[in-house]
Structures are given as structure tokens and as C-alpha cells.
């Protein structure tokens, strides 16, 4: 089957984004990999949202941005190749997709050793931006994206404690997301994203595969859902740490979390059509360790949350939780350890003590930023946060005498006084919050 894809791939010279369709509450996105004799592969992705969409320049503009963002799931199977939009791009849309490819496919480029992917050739005639209302949707309701982990829980509790009218949103929600909504006692607006099965088949046949800026896709689906269901604001929970990259490669800073970064948030806000809901990350000026400190007090969620990304893969079991052996599991274990009891932490991880597993020591050293080791390609915090967490755990009586801390390579790692202060500080220049939302975030 790999040979079949290889032969067909050799005939592909261009990737095309077709005109999206909207019918009722279903959006269909069309793509094609084409050659000199026409399409070699055609793809159709479907997104079903929670309510019927009234066609308008605003909705059309959001759907066009979604079609561009979701295209990268398919484009990567043929990259590097010309990226074409025969129907045309506005200047804003051209900037959006160009920066989305360059920033959002960095990890994919490294894994597949394809640096030219990050300098795309974009072919599209100039298009005129459609007219749209100049005012945002009325009402103060906030639609909060829920991922099943600690960050969105902290946002939910902060907003509801401040008296905000909050709804929750998720795409293809798994068990931890549904459980988070139940504990919060708030309704969940659901969307379904169905990737074309042909892409999955091609991946199995050897098509280049890897990370895409999925938060960009999810953000646009959330914005479209907000328009359809009457929310004036869409809230994500991307923190300051998400703007910290992984490594410098091919002359670029590569960040696994680029579509969660401040740079992307600013790009999307500038790209949205007039009249779109406000889009903002509540936790942008706060670090992971500060979020973990607040989450430790939300004990009602401790038994249901899961941050392990392996639990959210399409192939994962419906009841999957913590795998206990990945960078995300190690990071959450370390970052929570200073703030909850040892017994409570082990209960969250099904009785597993990740510090006691010698096979994971190097993974912890990666998180700590030990010389020569890169921050892993995962949604984890900055090395200085991890070093501060390690220092704080060492000071807890319930971890006293644990062999992990006596390992020479671990014992040699410490945080400076400046790091202890800075990781809990408010990073005021890194957010897009209104005065009202800034006041909410500062209380976290």
C-alpha cells in the first residue's frame, strides 16, 4: 500500500482549497491534491455544530478561515507543495494562512526533515473582503473551550466565581470533558469534526504525518458555534508558558504550542471578520505553575480531569485517562506535586508514582531543561517552572527521603531565587484581556 501512495504522490503538483459549503448546522470543507491531469485525491471534511447557522458575511468569513486552518491536516500529506486557493484570498486571509503554515507546521517540518514546508508558495488571486456588521454579538455570555485538563477548569471556576454567564464548548468530547461539564454543572455545546477517512488511509500508507495547529481549528469552530448559539465572547485557556518554544531549527524558533501562543492569538484576533465574537485566552498572563497552584484547590475535579493527550487520540478507549509515561503526564505530576498531598497525587495517577520509575528520569530532566536536552514536543510548561516545582516538592515532608531526589542528576538541578519569584508573577504584556477579564485573571 505504501508503494501505491508513493506512485500517486509523484503525480501531485499542487494542493487546492475548495469552496466550503454550509447547510443547516453542517459545514463541509473541500480539498484536492492535483496534478497535470486533474485531481489525484479529493477530500471532504465535515463539521457539525450545535445550532443551525444563518448565512451572513460574518459566518462566511469565519468558515473561510476555518477552511484554511483545517486544510493543513491534508496539505501536510503532500508537503512541500504549492498551496492554492483558486477562489482567491483577501490580504488578511493570505497573511493568516502563510503565518499558520510557518508557525504551526514547525514540529511537522522537524519530524519529517522538510524545512521548505515553512516557506510555502501560496497561489491565489486577490479577493475583496466582504462587508460585515461592525458591532460584535450582543450579550455578555462567554463560551469556554473545555479540553478536559486543569487549565480550562481554572478558567471555568474563575469566571463563574466572578458572576459571568458561562457556557462550555468541546469538539468530539471524550469522557474527561463530559465529566468536567457535569462537575461544573454547566451545559456543554458540542461540535463534531469528521476528518475524511481517505486521509487516515493515506497516513497508514506512508504519507508524511505529524503535528498540525489544531488549536487554530478548534478556535474557529468555537467562534462559529458562538455566533450560532448567541455568545459574545469565546474564552480559551492558553497560558503564558505556551509561548515558550522547544528548539531553534533551520533558522527558526519551533514551538509545539504555537497555535496556543500569544503570537497566534494576536494573529487570529487580527484576522477575524468584523462583528465576530471576542476571542481571548483568560490565562495568557499566567504561568502553568500558578495555574496548578489554583487548580489544587478545585478538589471536586481531581478525580475526573485528564491532561494526558494520549487519552484524546481517536484510537484511545472511551474511558482512557492518564497513560503515566509521557511528557504531559510527567509534567502534570511534577507541577501539581508541590500543592497537593503525595497520597492525593498518586490517587489521581491511579496509584502510580512517576518519580519512582527510573525509566522516566530522563524525561523529567528534559522538563527541567538540563544541558543538552530539549523541551519535549508536548503542551508542557517552561523549564524554570519545572525547576521551581522540583525545589518546592523537595521541601514537602510527604516526599522526604524519596530516592528520586537523591539521584545525582536530579539533585544537581535547582531554581534561582529570581526564578522562584518570576514564575508566579503576572506577565502583563502578554495578554489581550479586557479590564473586566484581567481583574478575573489576576485573582487566579
Amino acid at each position: 500500500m505504501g508503494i501505491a501512495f508513493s506512485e500517486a504522490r509523484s503525480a501531485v503538483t499542487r494542493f487546492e482549497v475548495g469552496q466550503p459549503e454550509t447547510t443547516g448546522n453542517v459545514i463541509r470543507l473541500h480539498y484536492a491534491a492535483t496534478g497535470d491531469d486533474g485531481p489525484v485525491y479529493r477530500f471532504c471534511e465535515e463539521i457539525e455544530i450545535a445550532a443551525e447557522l444563518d448565512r451572513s458575511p460574518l459566518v462566511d468569513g469565519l468558515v473561510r478561515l476555518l477552511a484554511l486552518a483545517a486544510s493543513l491536516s491534508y496539505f501536510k500529506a503532500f508537503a512541500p507543495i504549492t498551496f492554492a486557493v483558486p477562489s482567491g484570498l483577501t490580504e488578511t486571509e493570505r497573511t493568516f494562512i502563510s503565518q499558520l503554515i510557518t508557525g504551526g507546521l514547525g514540529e511537522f517540518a522537524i519530524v519529517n526533515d522538510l524545512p521548505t514546508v515553512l516557506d510555502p508558495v501560496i497561489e491565489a488571486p486577490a479577493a475583496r473582503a466582504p462587508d460585515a456588521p461592525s458591532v460584535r454579538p450582543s450579550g455578555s455570555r462567554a463560551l469556554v473551550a473545555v479540553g478536559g485538563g486543569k487549565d480550562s477548569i481554572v478558567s471555568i471556576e474563575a469566571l463563574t466565581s466572578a458572576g459571568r454567564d458561562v457556557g462550555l464548548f468541546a469538539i468530539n468530547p471524550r469522557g474527561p470533558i463530559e465529566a468536567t461539564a457535569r462537575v461544573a454543572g454547566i451545559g456543554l455545546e458540542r461540535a463534531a469534526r469528521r476528518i475524511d477517512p481517505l486521509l487516515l488511509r493515506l497516513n497508514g500508507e506512508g504519507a508524511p504525518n505529524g503535528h498540525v495547529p489544531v488549536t487554530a481549528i478548534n478556535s474557529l469552530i468555537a467562534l462559529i458555534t458562538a455566533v450560532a448559539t448567541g455568545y459574545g465572547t469565546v474564552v480559551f485557556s492558553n497560558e503564558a508558558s505556551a509561548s515558550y518554544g522547544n528548539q531553534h531549527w533551520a533558522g527558526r524558533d519551533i514551538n509545539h504550542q504555537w497555535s496556543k501562543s500569544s503570537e497566534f492569538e494576536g494573529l487570529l484576533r487580527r484576522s477575524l471578520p468584523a462583528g465576530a465574537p471576542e476571542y481571548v485566552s483568560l490565562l495568557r498572563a499566567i504561568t502553568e505553575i500558578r495555574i496548578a497552584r489554583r487548580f489544587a484547590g478545585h478538589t471536586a475535579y481531581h478525580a475526573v480531569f485528564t491532561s494526558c493527550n494520549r487519552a484524546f487520540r481517536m484510537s484511545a478507549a472511551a474511558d482512557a485517562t492518564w497513560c503515566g509515561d509521557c511528557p504531559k503526564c510527567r509534567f502534570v505530576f511534577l507541577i501539581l506535586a508541590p500543592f497537593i498531598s503525595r497520597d492525593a497525587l498518586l490517587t489521581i495517577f491511579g496509584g502510580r508514582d512517576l518519580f519512582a520509575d527510573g525509566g522516566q528520569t530522563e524525561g523529567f530532566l528534559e522538563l527541567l531543561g538540563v544541558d543538552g536536552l530539549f523541551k519535549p514536543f508536548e503542551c508542557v510548561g517552561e523549564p524554570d517552572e519545572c525547576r521551581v516545582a522540583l525545589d518546592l516538592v523537595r521541601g514537602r515532608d510527604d516526599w522526604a527521603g524519596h530516592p528520586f531526589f537523591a539521584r545525582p542528576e536530579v539533585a544537581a538541578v535547582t531554581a534561582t531565587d529570581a526564578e522562584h519569584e518570576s514564575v508566579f508573577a503576572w506577565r502583563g504584556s502578554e495578554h489581550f484581556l479586557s479590564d473586566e477579564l484581567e481583574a478575573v485573571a489576576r485573582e487566579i
Side-chain angles (χ1 to χ4, degrees), residues 240-280:
S241 315
S243 297
Y244 185 95
N246 298 82
Q247 57 182 280
H248 192 74
W249 178 82
R252 301 178 185 275
D253 291 321
I254 305 300
N255 182 3
H256 168 83
Q257 298 190 84
W258 184 81
S259 64
K260 294 184 176 183
S261 70
S262 177
E263 182 181 355
F264 170 75
E265 185 177 344
L267 172 67
L268 181 57
R269 287 170 60 89
R270 293 190 300 272
S271 303
L272 294 176
E278 180 78 2
Y279 173 84
V280 70

Side-chain angles (χ1 to χ4, degrees), residues 135 203 323 390:
V135 295
N203 289 341
C323 78
L390 181 68

Side-chain angles (χ1 to χ4, degrees), residues 419-440:
E419 287 174 334
H420 273 269
E421 181 178 354
S422 68
V423 299
F424 292 105
W426 175 262
R427 301 190 177 181
S429 63
E430 299 184 4
H431 71 80
F432 300 91
L433 299 170
S434 65
D435 290 345
E436 179 188 1
L437 288 178
E438 180 178 338
V440 172

Side-chain angles (χ1 to χ4, degrees), residues 263-298:
E263 182 181 355
F264 170 75
E265 185 177 344
L267 172 67
L268 181 57
R269 287 170 60 89
R270 293 190 300 272
S271 303
L272 294 176
E278 180 78 2
Y279 173 84
V280 70
S281 175
L282 183 67
L283 309 182
R284 176 61 66 201
I286 303 173
T287 59
E288 284 271 24
I289 195 169
R290 182 164 164 174
I291 295 164
R293 183 176 65 181
R294 174 52 61 91
F295 176 75
H298 296 314

Side-chain angles (χ1 to χ4, degrees), residues 104-323:
L105 290 183
E107 180 184 341
F108 167 83
I110 288 182
V111 169
N112 293 279
D113 193 22
L114 294 171
T116 55
V117 166
L118 305 182
D119 291 302
V121 174
I122 298 176
E123 290 185 357
R128 177 182 173 274
D131 296 328
S134 59
V135 295
R136 297 190 184 279
S138 61
S140 60
R141 300 175 72 204
L143 187 64
V144 181
V146 182
K150 61 179 174 40
D151 297 352
S152 54
I153 289 168
V154 168
S155 289
I156 293 165
E157 289 297 313
L159 289 166
T160 55
S161 294
R164 288 297 298 262
D165 184 1
V166 168
L168 308 183
F169 167 78
I171 300 169
N172 301 338
R174 306 295 291 262
I177 294 173
E178 299 278 7
T180 294
R182 287 196 298 273
V183 173
I186 300 173
L188 184 64
E189 305 282 3
R190 296 168 175 83
R193 182 186 178 206
R194 293 183 282 271
I195 293 174
D196 193 314
L198 174 58
L199 177 64
L200 306 179
R201 195 197 87 194
L202 296 184
N203 289 341
E205 294 179 4
N209 199 7
H211 183 71
V212 297
V214 69
T215 301
I217 302 167
N218 294 347
S219 296
L220 285 157
I221 297 174
L223 284 158
I224 293 168
T225 299
V227 171
T229 53
Y231 291 86
T233 303
V234 168
V235 177
F236 272 65
S237 301
N238 303 318
E239 72 295 324
S241 315
S243 297
Y244 185 95
N246 298 82
Q247 57 182 280
H248 192 74
W249 178 82
R252 301 178 185 275
D253 291 321
I254 305 300
N255 182 3
H256 168 83
Q257 298 190 84
W258 184 81
S259 64
K260 294 184 176 183
S261 70
S262 177
E263 182 181 355
F264 170 75
E265 185 177 344
L267 172 67
L268 181 57
R269 287 170 60 89
R270 293 190 300 272
S271 303
L272 294 176
E278 180 78 2
Y279 173 84
V280 70
S281 175
L282 183 67
L283 309 182
R284 176 61 66 201
I286 303 173
T287 59
E288 284 271 24
I289 195 169
R290 182 164 164 174
I291 295 164
R293 183 176 65 181
R294 174 52 61 91
F295 176 75
H298 296 314
T299 55
Y301 296 92
H302 287 187
V304 301
F305 90 108
T306 299
S307 297
C308 176
N309 286 327
R310 295 181 182 180
F312 295 95
R313 292 176 178 172
M314 288 185 292
S315 59
D319 59 350
T321 55
W322 303 92
C323 78

Side-chain angles (χ1 to χ4, degrees), residues 14 82-90 94 121-127:
R14 176 183 171 98
T82 296
F83 185 100
V85 186
S87 62
L89 291 171
T90 67
R94 189 182 298 272
V121 174
I122 298 176
E123 290 185 357

